Amino acid sequence: MFGNRHLKVIMEIQQQMLLSNFDLKLFMQTICDRMCLLTDADGSTIEMLAGDEMVYAAVSGTLQPHLGIRINKSGSLSGLCVTEKEILYSPDTQQDDRVNKEATMKVGARSMVCVPLFESSNAVGVLKVISDRPDAFSSRDIETLQLLSLALGSELGKQINYDDKIRILNDYEQLLVQLRAEIERREKLESELIQLTERDILTGLLNRRGFSDRIQGWMNRASREEDLFGVFYLDLNKFKQCNDTYGHEVGDLVLVEFANRIKNAVCESDLIARVGGDEFVVAAWLQNDYDGLVQVAKRLIEQLELPMRIKELQLPMSTSVGCTLWTDGKTELDLIRAADQSMYLAKSNGTNRIAVNGELLEEGNVKAI
C-alpha cells in the first residue's frame, strides 16, 4: 500500500502534467524533481532513446551536472530496459554485468532502478533513479515507479507527439519563409526580365515594346477623361558622322546624354522611349492643344543648344522634332507614323527644326518661346 505522502506526491505530479501546458522540458523536469521525494533516490533522470544512444533529457538531485550526456544503448542498464520493456533493478552496480560500470561510477550510481516509459507499445525512454548506496531501493519504491510509469509513459508519449507536431509546424513555417523568399526572388527576377524586354539597355529608357504597352493606357485615359497628349518623334542630326569620327564608345555616350536631355525637357510622368539607333519617341500630357504641343517641342530643341561634353570633346549636336496631337480614334500606329513623317520633314529642312502634323513650323517661331 502507498502512504498518504506517496499518494499526495503522485497526485501533485498528475496535476503538474496538466499545468505543464504541453511544455515537454517542464513536464520531464517535474517528474525528475518528484522522484527523489517518492523514493530514497539521490538523483533521478529521464533518458530518451535517440538512435543507438540514451540521452539524459531531464535530471534532478545528484544527476543535475550530467544533463545532456549520452550513453550507448548497448551495454547499459537503461538500454536493456528499453529493449526488454520491463523494470530492471541493479542492487549493486559494481557487481552487475548488465551495467556500464564506468558510467555508473562517473554519476555516483551504486544502485539504480530503470523503468521503461511507453508510448503505445513503443519504449520511448526510461525513468531512472539512483543512489550512492547499494540496495537503496525497496520493493515499494519499485512498485511506486511501476505505477507512475504506466501514467507517465503514456503522458510522455503525448508530449513527444505534441512536440513533434510543434517541430513540424515550425519546419512548415520555415518552409513558408523559404517559399516567400523564393517567390520574392522569382518576382524580382521576373521584374528584371520585364525590364530587359521593355527597357533599352544603353539608356535605361523604354524600348518600342515598353512604349507600346503603355501608350494604349494613355489613349484609354485620354478618351475616358478627355485629357490631351502629344507624341514627339526626334533623332540626332549627323549622328552617323559622329559615330564614324569618334567611335562607337563616344557614340553611345552621346545617346545617353541625349536621353538625359530629353528627360530634362519633359515631366517625369511622361513617356520616353528609344525606338531606333538614334531615334526617340516622347508622349507628353498637355495643358492645351496646339500651343502646348509646340511648347514641348521647343523645349526639346532647346536642350541641344549647348554642345555635349563627351570625353573632353565639345560636340555640337542638333535634333529634328516631328509631333502630332492625339485625337479620339487614332491608333498608336497612326500617332507614330504622323510624328515620324513630320520629323523627316523637319530634318530635310535643316537642323533644330520642328514639324507638326506634316507642316513645318516657321524657323523664327522655333526660337521664340
Side-chain angles (χ1 to χ4, degrees):
M1 292 291 295
F2 297 110
N4 289 336
R5 175 173 169 271
H6 281 71
L7 290 175
K8 183 178 179 180
V9 175
I10 291 172
M11 289 175 63
E12 182 184 350
I13 290 175
Q14 291 174 332
Q15 184 179 24
Q16 286 294 326
M17 291 178 193
L18 299 176
L19 295 177
S20 65
N21 195 27
F22 294 106
D23 185 331
L24 184 57
K25 290 183 179 179
L26 175 61
F27 172 75
M28 292 192 295
Q29 190 58 52
T30 298
I31 295 172
C32 287
D33 290 342
R34 297 304 184 268
M35 288 306 97
C36 292
L37 296 177
L38 286 171
T39 67
D40 290 326
D42 297 319
S44 64
T45 179
I46 291 178
E47 298 178 32
M48 299 305 299
L49 182 62
D52 295 329
E53 295 179 314
M54 305 297 296
V55 182
Y56 279 34
V59 291
S60 185
T62 57
L63 290 179
Q64 284 184 351
H66 304 289
L67 179 66
I69 69 168
R70 294 171 175 265
I71 59 175
N72 289 327
K73 176 184 174 184
S74 176
S76 70
L77 194 67
S78 300
L80 186 62
C81 177
V82 167
T83 302
E84 296 189 355
K85 299 181 180 180
E86 61 181 42
I87 297 173
L88 299 179
Y89 176 37
S90 177
D92 188 344
T93 58
Q94 296 306 304
Q95 306 298 323
D96 194 335
D97 292 335
R98 302 172 299 171
V99 173
N100 184 329
K101 295 180 176 61
E102 182 180 352
T104 56
M105 289 180 65
K106 182 178 179 180
V107 299
R110 185 64 187 270
S111 60
M112 70 172 84
V113 180
C114 292
V115 183
L117 299 174
F118 293 96
E119 193 274 310
S120 299
S121 59
N122 298 317
V124 295
V126 300
L127 169 62
K128 182 166 74 177
V129 290
I130 69 165
S131 173
D132 62 0
R133 298 172 288 107
D135 297 307
F137 300 103
S138 65
S139 59
R140 190 176 71 169
D141 290 332
I142 296 175
E143 288 173 358
T144 300
L145 295 176
Q146 186 176 20
L147 175 64
L148 286 172
S149 71
L150 297 176
L152 299 182
S154 176
E155 192 65 24
L156 182 61
K158 292 177 184 177
Q159 293 282 346
I160 292 171
N161 287 338
Y162 180 80
D163 200 53
D164 285 341
K165 290 176 182 177
I166 292 297
R167 188 159 44 251
I168 291 171
L169 285 175
N170 290 335
D171 290 344
Y172 179 67
E173 289 178 358
Q174 287 298 316
L175 178 61
L176 287 179
V177 169
Q178 294 172 4
L179 286 174
R180 290 191 192 101
E182 178 64 16
I183 289 171
E184 290 175 359
R185 188 190 69 82
R186 293 192 179 192
E187 286 178 346
K188 182 180 178 182
L189 179 61
E190 183 179 353
S191 176
E192 291 172 350
L193 289 174
I194 291 174
Q195 289 289 318
L196 288 175
T197 58
E198 292 191 346
R199 293 280 172 180
D200 174 54
I201 296 175
L202 177 63
T203 64
L205 300 177
L206 295 171
N207 58 21
R208 181 60 185 268
R209 175 178 175 177
F211 182 85
S212 181
D213 287 345
R214 287 159 179 78
I215 198 66
Q216 186 60 53
W218 277 48
M219 290 188 288
N220 293 339
R221 170 185 160 181
S223 179
R224 183 177 62 254
E225 302 179 9
E226 298 184 356
D227 286 339
L228 189 65
F229 68 89
V231 173
F232 306 80
Y233 206 108
L234 55 162
D235 75 350
L236 278 169
N237 297 317
K238 298 182 179 179
F239 175 70
K240 184 177 183 302
Q241 180 179 338
C242 172
N243 234 3
D244 293 342
T245 302
Y246 300 109
H248 289 288
E249 183 179 358
V250 170
D252 287 347
L253 293 174
V254 167
L255 291 173
V256 171
E257 176 64 17
F258 188 37
N260 290 333
R261 294 194 182 193
I262 294 174
K263 291 178 186 178
N264 292 333
V266 297
C267 297
E268 188 175 351
S269 59
D270 293 335
L271 300 180
I272 310 173
R274 181 187 176 204
V275 295
D278 65 332
E279 296 182 349
F280 295 77
V281 173
V282 175
W285 293 107
L286 305 174
Q287 294 298 320
N288 46 53
D289 47 21
Y290 183 84
D291 289 341
L293 188 75
V294 172
Q295 292 298 320
V296 173
K298 289 178 177 179
R299 290 202 301 270
L300 289 167
I301 292 290
E302 280 188 325
Q303 286 297 316
L304 287 178
E305 285 186 348
L306 294 177
M308 294 184 181
R309 297 177 60 90
I310 306 293
K311 284 195 167 188
E312 300 181 353
L313 297 172
Q314 294 276 355
L315 301 178
M317 304 300 295
S318 63
T319 186
S320 301
V321 180
C323 45
T324 187
L325 281 170
W326 176 85
T327 55
D328 203 5
K330 281 188 177 180
T331 66
E332 175 196 352
L333 183 60
D334 294 334
L335 293 170
I336 296 294
R337 182 185 294 118
D340 185 27
Q341 290 174 349
S342 294
M343 186 270 292
Y344 277 103
L345 174 63
K347 193 178 185 71
S348 65
N349 282 272
T351 60
N352 289 337
R353 301 301 304 271
I354 299 171
V356 181
N357 291 329
E359 295 185 6
L360 190 67
L361 196 68
E362 290 298 326
E363 188 169 3
N365 292 334
V366 173
K367 298 184 181 297
I369 301 298

